[in-house]
Amino acid sequence: MIRLTQIRCDEATAQLTDEGFLEILGAVVARAGVLEYRTGAGAVVRELRDPEVIHSKAALESYEGRPVLLGSHPTDSAGRVALATQKNIGDLEVIGSMRNVRADYADDDEGRRHKVTKADVLIWSADAISAARYGTRQFSLGYRTGVERRPGVYRGEEYDARQT
């Protein structure tokens, strides 16, 4: 999920293409650290996006060309995030796609360095372009991740599960 409001470590630039699409170059689409997610049942789960995994080839490839959705990803009846697939894509609000996915680093407002994943994002939905212009910075990305339900602590922050 693009959560640029969680951490101000992006230096992305946005511009309109000749076709009127919004192209965001160098968007931070993921960062290592503890992130909060809301389940379909409304509970908050704190997951560690593992800094040892975020720059792996498999992790980076899992983003390339994937759909971008407005808002948060859909969940199934058990509250688990549902991956966008050929079978359900017609039911989802797809607003764009990602390309040129790459590993990078960024500093937050406190000067802490984080591993991040950057991508160039192309948004073609008029509603999403309008939402971005008026401050929306939360979009959902169709990437794959495994989750280990094992609590721990990362940089002094407790987490409930670890993304692998």
Side-chain angles (χ1 to χ4, degrees):
M1 197 173 285
I2 299 176
R3 293 182 186 230
L4 300 180
T5 56
Q6 277 195 330
I7 184 170
R8 301 305 310 174
C9 61
D10 60 310
E11 296 176 1
T13 59
Q15 60 191 21
L16 290 177
T17 68
D18 292 341
E19 301 82 10
F21 301 145
L22 180 64
E23 184 175 41
I24 307 167
L25 302 174
V28 174
V29 297
R31 74 162 174 94
V34 178
L35 306 172
E36 290 187 355
Y37 295 93
R38 192 163 301 280
T39 68
V44 174
V45 177
R46 295 174 53 80
E47 292 184 5
L48 172 65
R49 180 161 294 141
D50 195 326
E52 301 302 318
V53 176
I54 193 171
H55 284 174
S56 72
K57 181 178 178 186
L60 294 172
E61 287 176 352
S62 75
Y63 288 95
E64 193 68 38
R66 294 300 188 261
V68 178
L69 308 177
L70 186 59
S72 59
H73 235 64
T75 56
D76 65 16
S77 59
R80 294 179 302 246
V81 171
L83 185 66
T85 66
Q86 183 272 332
K87 291 180 181 178
N88 69 2
I89 199 74
D91 298 327
L92 304 176
E93 190 173 356
V94 178
I95 61 167
S97 64
M98 293 181 288
R99 66 183 188 288
N100 194 23
V101 180
R102 58 209 179 265
D104 208 337
Y105 294 86
D107 297 326
D108 64 19
D109 290 340
E110 286 95 40
R112 293 178 300 183
R113 193 140 184 87
H114 297 273
K115 287 183 177 182
V116 298
T117 301
K118 288 188 177 181
D120 299 335
V121 179
L122 185 66
I123 298 176
W124 56 75
S125 159
D127 290 342
I129 292 168
S130 179
R133 284 185 165 163
Y134 288 101
T136 297
R137 295 293 181 267
Q138 183 169 326
F139 300 93
S140 186
L141 311 176
Y143 67 96
R144 291 185 182 272
T145 185
V147 177
E148 292 178 353
R149 303 279 177 216
R150 185 176 50 181
V153 177
Y154 174 74
R155 290 187 172 178
E157 289 187 79
E158 293 183 15
Y159 61 85
D160 307 304
R162 176 180 159 263
Q163 292 185 13
T164 59

